Amino acid sequence: MNFNIDFTGEFFAFFLLAVCAIVGAVLAINFEKVVHTTLSLAFTFVSLAGLYVLLEAEFVAFVQVLLYVGAVTILMIFGIMMTKHQGEGKEPGRPLLETLAAIGCLCLFGILFYAIRSAGFPAPAAALPEDNTLSIGKLLYSAYAIPFELVSVLLTVAFIGAVALAKREEEDS
């Protein structure tokens, strides 16, 4: 196996952002309070946006911050604030299940690490356009205008449905 790594600023930025994304995801799984889970999920989303910037996908990074960090996280926090949370008891720990899950995660990591290190990635065929955000915008509002509008209608209907369900729950209790 070839482990020649160039220690550049881009490598350190990638390593830092990858560790932040992983830590945020693990914390989102392990926190008990939903608000803390939402904030750690937002931290993970910001880290992923940084990784997109390193990949020179500025538009995807912008959309990641705008939609996921902004809209989804705020929507989750509003959902938490609008619902009533009773103090349900904590589920008892399962040490055998947690140990098996950790072993499975380590095995999956090993398999993925081996597969990525042994894979032969082809060289890029053609260079990306200089202003990829402009080309994405042109495609989005010309060839994909109808699907774009349908997604916006679908999200609006989903939001109205969530508010109606929350209101119905409030009236029932």
Side-chain angles (χ1 to χ4, degrees), residues 155-170:
L155 289 174
T156 304
V157 168
F159 182 70
I160 291 170
V163 169
L165 285 174
K167 194 148 182 98
R168 184 180 301 154
E169 271 185 21
E170 184 179 295

Side-chain angles (χ1 to χ4, degrees), residues 67 140 144-158:
L67 289 180
L140 189 62
Y144 297 103
I146 293 174
F148 179 76
E149 291 301 323
L150 288 175
V151 166
S152 68
V153 169
L154 177 69
L155 289 174
T156 304
V157 168

Side-chain angles (χ1 to χ4, degrees), residues 48-64 128 132-133 136:
L48 289 176
L51 289 171
Y52 289 139
V53 169
L54 286 177
L55 291 171
E56 297 178 6
E58 297 86 11
F59 179 74
V60 179
F62 175 73
V63 169
Q64 175 82 16
L128 292 172
N132 57 2
T133 306
I136 289 172

Side-chain angles (χ1 to χ4, degrees), residues 93-108:
R94 299 178 185 165
L96 178 63
L97 184 64
E98 292 172 0
T99 305
L100 289 175
I103 291 171
C105 287
L106 288 174
C107 290
L108 179 64

Side-chain angles (χ1 to χ4, degrees), residues 61-78:
F62 175 73
V63 169
Q64 175 82 16
V65 170
L66 187 70
L67 289 180
Y68 287 106
V69 177
V72 172
T73 305
I74 297 300
L75 185 65
M76 288 173 72
I77 289 174
F78 278 131

